[in-house]
Amino acid sequence: MRVGMGYDVHKLVYDRDLILGGVTIPYEKGLLGHSDADVLIHAIMDSLLGAAALGDIGRHFPDTDNSLKGISSIILLEKVRDILASANYEIVNIDATIIAQKPKMALFIPEMVKNMSKALNISESQVNVKATTEEGLGFTGTGQGISCQSICLLEKIS
């Protein structure tokens, strides 16, 4: 068994869609990034790659690669799934926390879980997503950005 931890953060800006867990969330701002800037999926991908000691998303999907500009992070998550399978790892579970003052996430979490479990070919019961605010403190609390933390457990397939 191997444990991995992931963290990602992106700045909130106008004129971008807010996409988390592959769900477009109605909001006045979106996350800035080379891809769709899905901070939730990015943190999850880093936890998965880290647990397998396979680097991070920057190594596999660099922001200098123009073919990845604007790409859906769901597609990148599918690629991570394939990388893990090639290295003989199976996902046991994922637990992630979205840290954002606004907007409220609760209504969108079931669809996020569905999207990510489908992309990873695992059961929805293996993916947990929750959200919290920072009570107005820090860059997330003041609405400057959104961050996410993720932890996962992998098992080596013999």
Side-chain angles (χ1 to χ4, degrees):
M1 299 266 190
R2 301 190 55 138
V3 175
M5 184 256 174
Y7 173 81
D8 197 31
V9 60
H10 284 273
K11 181 179 180 178
L12 281 165
V13 296
Y14 290 102
D15 298 321
R16 289 274 298 197
D17 287 336
L18 177 58
I19 301 170
L20 294 170
V23 178
T24 302
I25 298 171
Y27 191 57
E28 63 194 26
K29 294 180 182 179
L31 295 169
L32 182 62
H34 185 68
S35 66
D36 63 4
D38 189 325
V39 69
L40 173 59
I41 290 180
H42 293 182
I44 288 172
M45 290 190 301
D46 266 348
S47 69
L48 293 168
L49 291 167
L54 294 171
D56 62 14
I57 61 174
R59 175 176 151 196
H60 293 274
F61 314 110
D63 63 7
T64 54
D65 183 343
N66 286 332
S67 72
L68 301 175
K69 186 153 181 65
I71 194 168
S72 167
S73 292
I74 288 286
I75 293 170
L76 300 179
L77 186 60
E78 291 169 345
K79 291 178 186 290
V80 168
R81 174 201 66 210
D82 295 343
I83 292 167
L84 292 175
S86 294
N88 296 317
Y89 283 103
E90 185 174 83
I91 299 166
V92 176
N93 76 301
I94 297 166
D95 185 30
T97 304
I98 303 165
I99 303 159
Q101 196 65 35
K102 291 180 183 176
K104 295 293 185 188
M105 303 289 168
L107 294 176
F108 304 101
I109 289 175
E111 189 177 355
M112 293 176 194
V113 169
K114 182 179 180 177
N115 290 344
M116 294 184 297
S117 63
K118 182 179 177 187
L120 292 168
N121 289 334
I122 60 176
S123 166
E124 289 181 30
S125 67
Q126 292 172 270
V127 180
N128 186 63
V129 175
K130 52 203 176 298
T132 190
T133 69
E134 290 198 309
E135 304 298 328
L137 301 173
F139 70 90
T140 56
T142 59
Q144 295 175 331
I146 294 176
S147 67
C148 186
Q149 298 177 3
S150 173
I151 190 165
C152 71
L153 181 64
L154 300 182
E155 187 169 44
K156 188 79 167 175
I157 304 166
S158 51

